[in-house]
Amino acid sequence: QVQLVQSGAEVKKPGSSVKVSCMTSGGTFTSYAFHWVRQAPGQGLEWVGGIIPIIRTTHYAQRFEGRITINADESTGTVYMELRSLISEDTAVFFCARERQRRDLVGGSFFDFWGQGTLLTVSS
Amino acid sequence: DVRMTQSPSYLSAAVGDRVTITCRASQSISAYLSWYQQTPGKAPKLLIYAASSLQSGVPSRFSGSGSETDFTLTISNLQPEDFATYYCQQSYRIPYTFGQGTKLEIK
């Protein structure tokens, strides 16, 4: 049974950093890409960035470039997202999600399993 | 970036109704389109992938269609647990982008 379990809620001050973890189980870690998706209070879903652990390749949304790092620990099957220089507008729930790719199907790239979400509150 | 536009933003319907949500991409995305359902306080749940493939375990009253730039999600015979917010997402090109969401409310 596939599970993505995220670390707990965080309260941070403006200008500080946060590191959120996403521990995966029940699948072959290196067979997938993993992504982070943000949801500000009362708002929609926003892709933040992703990583392909097997080739250690990352992609980030332009608005976070320079203050975000996503990495992965294959030994524990855990994905991390670090966000620096926090501002109050970063207050949101962050979800990790697993991307499955089905090579036999046109358009077969989708987020099939999600973590439970981690609430980040940035406040002075 | 590929811009995804959903309509309507809000939809009111009754149990047993059939509803359709549309999603338009700003450029062709082939069939790289997924639909997710989200209830308050929960993570999104995958319903449809590759525009029209039903995720395992999802009831058959959910269906998807479309290709290139225009896509639809149809829910037949609405059930109480279907009242939620629905998002489309393209995975054709990074940055992956979501529609703004459609909130389905009980009439």
Side-chain angles (χ1 to χ4, degrees):
Chain A
Q1 179 182 354
V2 176
Q3 283 192 300
L4 280 66
V5 179
Q6 298 181 222
S7 51
E10 300 268 9
V11 179
K12 295 292 183 179
K13 296 212 181 291
S16 66
S17 300
V18 69
K19 191 168 187 176
V20 183
S21 66
C22 173
M23 181 180 296
T24 73
S25 61
T28 304
F29 186 70
T30 51
S31 295
Y32 302 94
F34 294 89
H35 299 263
W36 291 91
V37 175
R38 183 172 90 160
Q39 188 167 39
Q43 302 300 307
L45 303 173
E46 178 184 21
W47 181 81
V48 171
I51 185 168
I52 308 171
I54 196 170
I55 57 173
R56 293 183 173 82
T57 295
T58 54
H59 298 280
Y60 302 123
Q62 189 170 17
R63 64 184 291 175
F64 298 104
E65 282 275 11
R67 65 184 190 105
I68 187 172
T69 301
I70 296 174
N71 52 30
D73 182 343
E74 292 180 34
S75 67
T76 61
T78 303
V79 182
Y80 299 91
M81 179 200 68
E82 181 182 33
L83 192 59
R84 301 176 291 277
S85 302
L86 292 170
I87 58 176
S88 59
E89 290 78 12
D90 289 326
T91 294
V93 175
F94 287 80
F95 296 99
C96 63
R98 188 181 84 167
E99 179 186 5
R100 182 181 174 191
Q101 293 202 350
R102 281 188 52 181
R103 307 293 181 186
D104 63 322
L105 186 63
V106 175
S109 170
F110 46 91
F111 293 2
D112 60 349
F113 287 95
W114 294 67
Q116 81 277 20
T118 297
L119 174 61
L120 169 64
T121 303
V122 183
S123 174
S124 55
Chain B
D1 298 1
V2 180
R3 186 172 63 253
M4 306 300 292
T5 304
Q6 276 182 245
S7 62
S9 296
Y10 296 92
L11 186 54
S12 181
V15 173
D17 282 356
R18 179 175 183 265
V19 298
T20 297
I21 299 168
T22 65
C23 182
R24 175 163 287 177
S26 61
Q27 63 186 81
S28 175
I29 58 170
S30 183
Y32 286 83
L33 191 285
S34 304
W35 289 98
Y36 301 89
Q37 175 195 64
Q38 188 181 33
T39 53
K42 299 290 188 180
K45 172 188 173 184
L46 176 67
L47 300 175
I48 301 286
Y49 62 91
S52 60
S53 296
L54 189 68
Q55 171 67 348
S56 175
V58 174
S60 59
R61 62 180 180 274
F62 292 90
S63 63
S65 65
S67 65
E68 307 298 336
T69 60
D70 293 298
F71 303 87
T72 61
L73 172 70
T74 299
I75 314 171
S76 304
N77 187 24
L78 275 170
Q79 296 300 297
E81 60 268 28
D82 299 337
F83 293 94
T85 301
Y86 294 85
Y87 295 92
C88 62
Q89 180 212 21
Q90 65 82 19
S91 55
Y92 180 75
R93 177 165 288 143
I94 284 177
Y96 292 168
T97 43
F98 291 87
Q100 79 278 17
T102 295
K103 186 173 184 180
L104 176 58
E105 299 176 319
I106 299 177
K107 185 182 290 184

